[in-house]
């Protein structure tokens, strides 16, 4: 769901989490990986994790939240996530 539709119902912390999550999605579903983007993408993933810690700490218990910290390193070693993803589409919803 688009963030602007939900915005009136969310506090500032929740908005920050969802905004950084949308940036993580852009990284996770990209079709290419350029080494020049490594630092920027790493910072985005850390920013998402920090937003979770501050505003939605209950999500820290989810394994996938922690795995986001390793996403960019895996992409650097293996290429786009579509090349190494072990999950079928919507299999873990």
């Amino acid at each position: 769901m688009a963030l602007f539709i939900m915005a009136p119902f969310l506090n500032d912390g929740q908005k920050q989490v969802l905004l950084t999550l949308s940036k993580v999605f852009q990284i996770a579903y990209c079709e290419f990986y350029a080494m020049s983007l490594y630092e920027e993408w790493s910072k985005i993933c850390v920013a998402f994790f920090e937003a979770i810690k501050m505003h939605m700490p209950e999500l820290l218990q989810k394994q996938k939240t922690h795995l986001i910290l390793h996403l960019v390193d895996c992409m650097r070693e293996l290429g786009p996530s579509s090349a190494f993803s072990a999950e079928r589409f919507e299999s873990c919803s």
Side-chain angles (χ1 to χ4, degrees), residues 4 25 29 45 49 78 83:
F4 68 90
F25 280 161
Y29 293 106
C45 291
F49 197 76
L78 304 169

Side-chain angles (χ1 to χ4, degrees), residues 17-62:
V17 168
L18 291 176
L19 183 62
T20 55
L21 179 61
S22 69
K23 293 177 182 179
V24 169
F25 280 161
Q26 290 175 352
I27 296 167
Y29 293 106
C30 75
E31 294 293 324
F32 71 95
Y33 177 80
M35 289 297 287
S36 61
L37 298 173
Y38 176 77
E39 287 294 322
E40 178 184 346
W41 286 2
S42 293
K43 288 178 183 177
I44 290 170
C45 291
V46 169
F48 170 72
F49 197 76
E50 292 299 319
I52 288 288
K53 282 194 327 188
M54 288 181 62
H55 305 291
M56 296 179 160
E58 66 276 7
L59 293 180
L60 290 174
Q61 296 182 14
K62 302 275 187 187

